[in-house]
Amino acid sequence: MNALDLLDGCAAEQARPAADAQRPILRERGQREVFCGLTGIIWLHRKMQDAFFLVVGSRTCAHLLQSAAGVMIFAEPRFATAIMEERDLAGMVDAQDELDRVVNRLLERRPDIRTLFLVGSCPSEVIKLDLAKAAQRLGAVHMPRVRILNYSGSGIETTFTQGEDACLAALVPVMRALPADAPKELLIVGSLPDIVEDQFLRLFADLGIASVGVLPARNARDLPAVGPNTRYILAQPFLGDTAMALEGRGAKRIEALFPFGVEGTSDWLRAAAREFGVDPALTEQVIAPGRERARIALSKLRPQLEGKRITFLPDSQLEVPLARFLQNELGMELVEVGTPYLHRAHLARELESFGAQVRLSEGQHVERQLDRVRADRPDITVCGLGLANPLEMEGLTTKWAIELVFSPIHGFDQAADLAELFARPLRRRDLLEV
Amino acid sequence: MQLAVWTYEGPPHVGAMRVATAMEKLHYVLHAPQGDTYADLLFTMIERRGKRPPVTYTTFEARDLGKDTAQIFQDAAREAVTRFNPQAIIVGASCTAELIQDDPAGLAEAMGLPCPAIPLELPSYQRKENWGAAETFYQIVRTLADRSVTREPREGRPARANILGPTALGFRHRDDLVEIRKILVQLGVEVNLVAPLGATPEDIRNIGAADFNIVLYPEIADEAARWLERTFAQPCVRTVPIGVGATRSFIADVAELAGADPTPALGDTSSRMPWWSRSVDSTYLTGKRVFIFGDATHAVAAARIAREELGFEVCGLGCYAREFARDVRAEAARCGVEALITDDHLAVEDAIAAAAPELVLGTQMERHIAKRLGIPCAVISAPVHVQDFPARHSPQMGFEGANVIFDTWVHPLVMGLEEHLLTMFREDFEFSDEAGASHHAAHSPRRAPVADAVSEAPVEDIPAPAMAEEVGTLWTAEAERELKKIPFFVRGKARRNTENFAAAEGRRQIDLETLYDAKAHYAR
């Protein structure tokens, strides 16, 4: 069973009979202009500072990582590729022995590594190199100094942010177990910039929710515990497998909008507070200052975005909650919302506010989708860097999508920053006179 | 398996993309998994092209494996031909598709497409980007060149040349071409064809009509040029005109094959480099130790310029491509050093550290190594980042190229006069390592609090003079910590805005609330 089967199964099992169940979704297949899951390494390695990501793949994988990492050339980056060569494929050497050699060399060179992820790629998946077995074998040798885990970030199985999902899902089994009678705990799931994470932790502390864990933790060896009394809340919409793995450990999901904008953040915090029996009056009191700040800040950006028509091309699965935010709080008009994968259960509430005229598409046939963009001529198109400049050259204003994954955009105090990411290309378009 | 953090070259199919993207009316159907489209952004972002590369990817997924990937390939090829109506397509597989053995060549042939489909065999697990570009260009030329083309006698007509090698994502290929065309005009040589850059498959058919070929970038064009030598008896100019001396040799070689008079071209005085290099301020360049690394062509050319035209001492020379190592070894021997042939950037770093040069000339990778070691550096070769695809005219070749090279290499060095001053005032406190740069306002007086804020302050507030003294402690420790989480390059602005906001609001203390209230206030 591959990851995609799991995702489908997950969706089918949890989907509730939502208002949008009959909403038509344009499902297309064809060329997909998306990143593979390996790209997640770029932000995951910054978040988990004791972890190292070793991709087992081809020169293409190494080239992708360095292209995506751009100028982020560090003194000692915490990711690398074990590039498979002819002799690995021809069976002239045992690939597992080769992997042992590479891992041993790496761990000698980098004694500071405490968690090592062996990351599967398309080539390693296609030749069925058993990285799970390798992780187990190498883990036995290097524990307790280094914990060795594995997941797949291959393009054939994962799209962009799904790499984070696969990575976090690999962490779930090694989280410490809490007994059934342990006190109720809250778990925030999905990597957030440290500054945003701290804001949320402060708000939960003010709400009197005592025990709050974060996955991924800043230190991969310092994972939160999980048990039947754990209630988890997703901070990111692309965590289908991780959610399923947490359910498997007995944790229960708190259903909420994703914390973008005033509406999303309020709903997210209220849902958690409700689950933990916080007095609604206290909840309102705690969230009021942030709400008010976000409301003021957004009110200044609204005139720039109101009535503007926007299309999202599929990229990160953030498209649906972001579209909800832009429509409900800034008055933008949604033309097409494309997503690489639509998790119906996790996004059910998000979709409820979409008008019937919003075209929702899942998957991609990039040429046909670009034909639609050209016909629609939206004021702004959210797309990847492979498409952004070519569309600008055609006179269409774009917002490159990857920035939405790297910038702090969640929570009250980032709401205006998030809106500004969309307002800036429009303002620039009006500003330039050449 | 080879452990790699950074690679000098991409996989061979990226080389094929460079050829396809350089050409017009040619389309590349690439059997590749979802995700391999990342390579598009090399062209749209780094080279800043306003068009998508002409590549259709099949983007197969896990669920397609073992059933219909061959069908997916054929569908993609048919759609691409219908939509883009190319004069020819090239078909091939990326590393993963190579493993599933769908045979794009056979599949394309069986389809009876309305245009030629040129199959590419690019062994991803043995070869790399430049090899992929060379092989692709060679296959295109071999397949499309019309072998019945004959040249009319030379009498009474100008000589005709093909310029071979410029591609998409080539380091300064765009501007080098301008310089080469200038030289050919001076020599009265007509350009039959430039390829791959700007050529269509139809143009390639006529490649045999030229009297000779000019190979600008051997890494890409040499394979094709050798085939043309055999097939059409076209001789070839292989001198790479990077540097004043090399440009003069190039002019002489072209003039000889064209039967032209080289004097007007050689008499071109647009090169300021010889005089700049002779002027007294350059005396300080004498014997500067320089470490050179890049592709073989640029590394060898740089070594000659360094030695013969700038008076540097070459203390290290190497290249990342084994295919062209012989030229580098020969040049290294002339420099009295041992050539470093490796694609392992850690080995290059070690070699640079050991050689302790005063200047590093290399790729983007060496730029970072040099930055880390605190050594001045200039970029001479791919791989390069976006800043090395400049808007301004910046060739490396020809006489203007030599001017560009002089400026580029010398700028990172401390120039003569500055070096003299630094030595003279070395003991001066303003020149000590601890002193910040003079343009930083580190010692400027702290801004006084806004008068209004003080007058509006509540009665129990600290008196104005005391407040002025306590400006530094206005921030609570928590807010100060929060501020530090903001990236350094906007932190100063955030601090200033917050303080202004607090002053305007008459708040005595800046806590987290104030920090975020201010952020909301200043949101645009």
Side-chain angles (χ1 to χ4, degrees):
Chain A
M1 193 185 253
N2 69 34
L4 287 157
D5 296 335
L6 288 174
L7 282 172
D8 287 343
C10 183
E13 205 173 73
Q14 298 186 343
R16 49 175 221 173
D20 61 287
Q22 64 276 16
R23 168 187 288 282
I25 296 172
L26 183 57
R27 283 208 176 74
E28 285 188 304
R29 74 177 293 176
Q31 178 175 326
R32 286 178 149 224
E33 191 82 14
V34 288
F35 278 129
C36 65
L38 294 182
T39 329
I41 291 170
I42 306 296
W43 66 88
L44 285 170
H45 91 284
R46 301 305 303 154
K47 186 72 195 174
M48 290 180 266
Q49 306 225 330
D50 63 338
F52 193 100
F53 293 79
L54 180 66
V55 176
V56 182
S58 63
R59 180 167 301 280
T60 311
C61 307
H63 197 235
L64 158 85
L65 279 182
Q66 94 181 38
S67 308
V71 291
M72 287 211 305
I73 299 196
F74 299 109
E76 289 285 356
R78 280 176 287 102
F79 57 84
T81 309
I83 298 181
M84 295 194 292
E85 294 164 322
E86 191 71 11
R87 39 194 227 116
D88 298 303
L89 300 175
M92 285 153 68
V93 289
D94 186 317
Q96 297 280 358
D97 291 346
E98 277 292 286
L99 192 58
D100 288 7
R101 185 181 61 78
V102 167
V103 168
N104 291 334
R105 189 180 153 211
L106 178 68
L107 294 179
E108 258 166 51
R109 235 184 80 81
R110 299 293 303 272
D112 55 316
I113 299 169
R114 303 202 51 229
T115 299
L116 175 67
F117 288 99
L118 299 178
V119 188
S121 65
C122 300
S124 74
E125 296 291 324
V126 166
I127 66 164
K128 304 212 184 308
L129 184 58
D130 193 342
L131 290 184
K133 202 173 98 189
Q136 220 168 33
R137 184 185 62 243
L138 284 159
V141 177
H142 294 282
M143 259 321 243
R145 190 169 73 86
V146 189
R147 180 158 63 201
I148 300 182
L149 299 171
N150 104 287
Y151 72 90
S152 171
S154 75
I156 54 177
E157 290 159 316
T158 58
T159 303
F160 196 28
T161 49
Q162 279 179 326
E164 172 170 332
D165 188 25
C167 175
L168 300 192
L171 284 172
V172 173
V174 296
M175 288 164 78
R176 202 162 37 80
L178 286 172
D181 57 351
K184 211 164 162 184
E185 291 195 2
L186 177 65
L187 182 63
I188 304 172
V189 185
S191 75
L192 294 167
D194 289 355
I195 188 165
V196 177
E197 192 178 296
D198 289 346
Q199 288 167 5
F200 284 153
L201 290 174
R202 277 199 300 268
L203 286 167
F204 285 126
D206 292 347
L207 288 168
I209 302 176
S211 184
V212 185
V214 192
L215 184 70
R218 289 181 202 189
N219 191 322
R221 287 295 285 273
D222 193 19
L223 292 172
V226 64
N229 270 333
T230 301
R231 298 290 174 271
Y232 70 95
I233 188 160
L234 297 177
Q236 303 278 17
F238 44 72
L239 298 172
D241 281 3
T242 308
M244 203 161 56
L246 286 168
E247 300 275 341
R249 301 277 317 255
K252 308 266 181 311
R253 183 168 73 91
I254 300 172
E255 182 161 7
L257 292 178
F258 288 92
F260 301 112
V262 173
E263 182 191 17
T265 309
S266 303
D267 188 76
W268 194 76
L269 292 167
R270 280 191 194 120
R274 212 165 33 240
E275 179 68 33
F276 280 77
V278 178
D279 174 9
L282 174 65
T283 306
E284 293 313 309
Q285 188 192 324
V286 167
I287 69 176
R291 273 174 62 90
E292 189 55 17
R293 281 198 298 264
R295 199 190 53 74
I296 293 168
L298 286 176
S299 68
K300 295 173 192 171
L301 283 149
R302 188 170 172 117
Q304 296 178 42
L305 291 168
E306 195 160 21
K308 295 285 194 298
R309 300 165 65 247
I310 186 166
T311 283
F312 283 87
L313 301 193
D315 193 59
S316 62
Q317 298 184 46
L318 290 169
E319 296 83 4
V320 167
L322 292 182
R324 181 261 304 156
F325 162 69
L326 293 172
Q327 173 190 262
N328 293 359
E329 300 187 36
L330 293 149
M332 291 186 81
E333 186 187 322
L334 307 179
V335 179
E336 174 168 344
V337 180
T339 176
Y341 174 76
L342 187 72
H343 196 297
R344 278 186 170 266
H346 289 177
L347 293 173
R349 292 213 26 230
E350 295 281 352
L351 288 170
E352 279 165 14
S353 71
F354 281 21
Q357 76 288 355
V358 177
R359 200 188 305 135
L360 193 60
S361 65
E362 183 183 14
Q364 191 175 35
H365 183 296
V366 72
E367 304 294 351
R368 286 208 284 267
Q369 194 164 34
L370 289 175
D371 286 344
R372 292 199 297 275
V373 169
R374 290 178 189 118
D376 295 332
R377 291 203 73 82
D379 292 297
I380 188 162
T381 304
V382 184
C383 62
L385 289 173
L387 299 173
N389 270 336
L391 286 177
E392 292 279 350
M393 199 61 123
E394 292 183 29
L396 290 152
T397 300
T398 60
K399 164 73 216 128
W400 46 284
I402 305 156
E403 199 177 5
L404 299 164
V405 176
F406 288 108
S407 310
I409 57 171
H410 297 70
F412 289 132
D413 288 307
Q414 281 66 236
D417 298 344
L418 175 55
E420 167 68 7
L421 288 178
F422 296 91
R424 193 179 298 135
L426 290 168
R427 203 161 60 234
R428 183 168 184 77
R429 180 193 64 187
D430 296 340
L431 201 66
L432 297 183
E433 295 192 355
V434 289
Chain B
M1 281 179 197
Q2 184 204 353
L3 185 61
V5 180
W6 305 105
T7 66
Y8 284 98
E9 291 185 74
H13 72 261
V14 168
M17 282 182 72
R18 289 178 53 189
V19 172
T21 306
M23 290 180 64
E24 307 285 335
K25 299 189 173 148
L26 178 84
H27 202 85
Y28 186 11
V29 181
L30 179 59
H31 204 19
Q34 163 175 276
D36 277 3
T37 51
Y38 83 87
D40 281 0
L41 68 88
L42 303 172
F43 299 91
T44 60
M45 296 305 292
I46 297 180
E47 203 181 8
R48 240 185 277 250
R49 280 179 177 259
K51 253 165 56 178
R52 291 168 62 211
V55 183
T56 293
Y57 303 80
T58 55
T59 54
F60 55 83
E61 297 172 61
R63 60 180 164 208
D64 305 321
L65 291 180
K67 22 184 230 263
D68 56 356
T69 49
Q71 186 60 46
I72 290 176
F73 175 84
Q74 290 196 323
D75 291 347
R78 196 169 289 114
E79 267 192 68
V81 170
T82 310
R83 179 176 281 266
F84 299 103
N85 193 24
Q87 291 173 356
I89 62 170
I90 52 178
V91 297
S94 80
C95 52
T96 304
E98 192 182 332
L99 297 173
I100 61 175
Q101 300 180 330
D102 270 340
D103 183 25
L107 290 170
E109 198 182 358
M111 289 170 65
L113 293 168
C115 67
I118 304 163
L120 298 176
E121 288 289 340
L122 305 176
S124 309
Y125 298 91
Q126 294 168 20
R127 304 293 192 163
K128 291 181 269 186
E129 179 178 332
N130 279 335
W131 188 90
E135 173 69 10
T136 303
F137 185 49
Y138 163 65
Q139 291 297 347
I140 288 172
V141 168
R142 212 182 69 130
T143 311
L144 297 177
D146 181 352
R147 291 176 215 200
S148 66
V149 167
T150 50
R151 297 188 288 276
E152 61 243 67
R154 275 295 310 279
E155 286 76 37
R157 67 165 177 89
R160 271 197 291 270
N162 294 318
I163 301 176
L164 306 181
T167 60
L169 216 61
F171 176 64
R172 308 298 166 88
H173 287 195
R174 177 197 69 192
D175 300 339
D176 283 349
L177 192 54
V178 173
E179 295 305 310
I180 297 307
R181 282 180 183 277
K182 260 196 251 174
I183 290 173
L184 295 186
V185 166
Q186 285 170 323
L187 292 171
V189 175
E190 276 179 4
V191 177
N192 178 59
L193 172 69
V194 178
L197 194 63
T200 64
E202 281 298 324
D203 295 337
I204 301 279
R205 293 174 59 81
N206 200 35
I207 200 166
D211 299 304
F212 62 97
N213 290 311
I214 294 170
V215 172
L216 285 190
Y217 309 102
E219 276 87 350
I220 291 153
D222 204 48
E223 186 76 24
R226 276 188 282 124
W227 182 82
L228 290 166
E229 231 162 5
R230 291 196 300 275
T231 311
F232 293 101
Q234 286 170 327
C236 188
V237 176
R238 287 200 162 78
T239 315
V240 177
I242 301 179
V244 174
T247 300
R248 287 179 184 147
S249 309
F250 173 83
I251 290 169
D253 290 353
V254 173
E256 192 185 323
L257 284 184
D261 176 12
T263 329
L266 287 173
D268 184 328
T269 53
S270 64
S271 179
R272 291 173 209 99
M273 198 253 229
W275 164 242
W276 251 243
S277 193
R278 279 193 161 71
S279 77
V280 291
D281 198 46
S282 298
T283 314
Y284 292 83
L285 301 177
T286 316
K288 285 262 187 214
R289 292 163 50 77
V290 55
F291 189 101
I292 301 170
F293 195 85
D295 67 28
T297 302
H298 286 86
V300 169
R304 289 188 185 149
I305 297 169
R307 278 192 301 132
E308 297 168 4
E309 303 179 17
L310 289 166
F312 291 153
E313 180 195 335
V314 176
C315 67
L317 177 63
C319 79
Y320 53 76
R322 264 163 223 291
E323 289 93 336
F324 289 84
R326 203 191 324 173
D327 300 342
V328 178
R329 288 208 177 88
E331 180 61 26
R334 281 190 284 274
C335 298
V337 295
E338 193 167 337
L340 174 68
I341 313 297
T342 181
D343 61 356
D344 179 354
H345 64 103
L346 293 174
V348 178
E349 178 157 359
D350 291 345
I352 292 176
E358 291 164 275
L359 176 68
V360 174
L361 301 174
T363 72
Q364 183 70 12
M365 251 59 109
E366 283 68 48
R367 217 168 64 104
H368 285 276
I369 292 170
K371 192 168 160 194
R372 188 128 63 92
L373 298 173
I375 305 170
C377 179
V379 171
I380 58 157
S381 159
V384 294
H385 217 311
V386 61
Q387 67 270 37
D388 275 301
F389 287 94
R392 66 177 184 278
H393 185 58
S394 315
Q396 298 287 292
M397 292 184 172
F399 292 128
E400 181 58 25
N403 294 341
V404 169
I405 285 172
F406 181 90
D407 289 346
T408 311
W409 296 12
V410 169
H411 276 181
L413 293 170
V414 179
M415 279 303 290
L417 190 60
E418 269 181 69
E419 182 163 307
H420 176 68
L421 290 171
L422 281 180
T423 314
M424 214 160 87
F425 298 119
R426 185 166 286 158
E427 303 307 319
D428 195 310
F429 76 96
E430 281 176 308
F431 284 88
S432 77
D433 287 343
E434 288 76 31
S438 54
H439 58 278
H440 287 168
H443 305 293
S444 65
R446 190 179 286 278
R447 188 181 39 77
V450 181
D452 284 355
V454 177
S455 60
E456 283 170 17
V459 267
E460 68 270 30
D461 207 345
I462 327 156
M467 186 170 170
E469 278 165 33
E470 292 207 0
V471 159
T473 60
L474 267 174
W475 289 72
T476 64
E478 199 186 12
E480 191 83 46
R481 272 198 304 279
E482 193 78 352
L483 184 71
K484 291 214 173 83
K485 294 171 193 163
I486 298 170
F488 70 92
F489 47 85
V490 288
R491 203 182 296 150
K493 185 176 163 197
R495 178 186 285 280
R496 200 175 57 239
N497 281 352
T498 309
E499 287 173 358
N500 289 343
F501 175 79
E505 293 266 300
R507 299 194 198 183
R508 280 187 299 151
Q509 202 185 41
I510 298 178
D511 54 9
L512 283 176
E513 286 298 301
T514 314
L515 179 65
Y516 282 114
D517 285 345
K519 185 168 190 290
H521 177 78
Y522 285 102
R524 274 196 283 197

